[in-house]
Each structure stands twice: as structure tokens, then as C-alpha cells.
Amino acid sequence: MNILKGFSLVVHWGSFLSGILFALTALYISVLPNLYNIQRFGLIVFALFVFFSCSGLGWLARYTLVGKVHFLPWKKINDLSLI
């Protein structure tokens, strides 16, 4: 079971980092001087969509393989509930 936890963490980190990389690339393209404002807005929205979809798919894979996990790969969830 430890191997499964490690693999799911690698998948989560990989998708999180690829989401950041793709989003930064789209944001970099959006600051080019030869774009119209609507194209800039579209690229910014696309960058946000790409980041959250890549991160979400990594989180979903880890959640499916391991169980209850936080959306951010470096955070841990405390199982103690504050009631």
C-alpha cells in the first residue's frame, strides 16, 4: 500500500507542476504586444482553466487511489473533525 501512496503522490505533483507550467506558458503568451484585449482575456481564462483542470485531475487520481487528500499536494488533512 505504501507504493500506491507514493505513486499517487507522484501523479498529483506531476499534474500540479504541469498545470503550473502550461498556465504560465499561456500567461506569457497573453502579454505579447500583438494581441487584442479579448485575446488576452481569453488566454488568461484558458490559463486558469488549464491549471485547475490539470491539478484537479491529479487530485482526483490521488483521491481515487488513496482516499481523502487535500487539493494541494504538499498539505495533509487532519482526520480530527472540529465539531
Side-chain angles (χ1 to χ4, degrees):
M1 193 57 124
N2 255 349
I3 294 173
L4 188 60
K5 284 184 180 181
F7 175 71
S8 65
L9 186 62
V10 168
V11 168
H12 193 179
W13 268 106
S15 64
F16 183 76
L17 293 176
S18 65
I20 289 175
L21 179 70
F22 290 141
L24 286 178
T25 303
L27 288 176
Y28 175 73
I29 291 171
S30 73
V31 297
L32 293 177
N34 58 351
L35 293 177
Y36 297 111
N37 285 336
I38 191 70
Q39 290 173 329
R40 290 181 206 279
F41 178 74
L43 278 171
I44 291 170
V45 170
F46 178 72
L48 288 173
F49 175 75
V50 165
F51 170 71
F52 282 113
S53 56
C54 285
S55 297
L57 286 174
W59 171 82
L60 184 63
R62 187 173 173 205
Y63 182 81
T64 304
L65 293 174
V66 176
K68 188 175 180 182
V69 292
H70 198 276
F71 182 75
L72 300 173
W74 62 85
K75 290 208 168 203
K76 296 183 189 270
I77 289 185
N78 296 335
D79 288 332
L80 300 174
S81 62
L82 301 172
I83 298 176

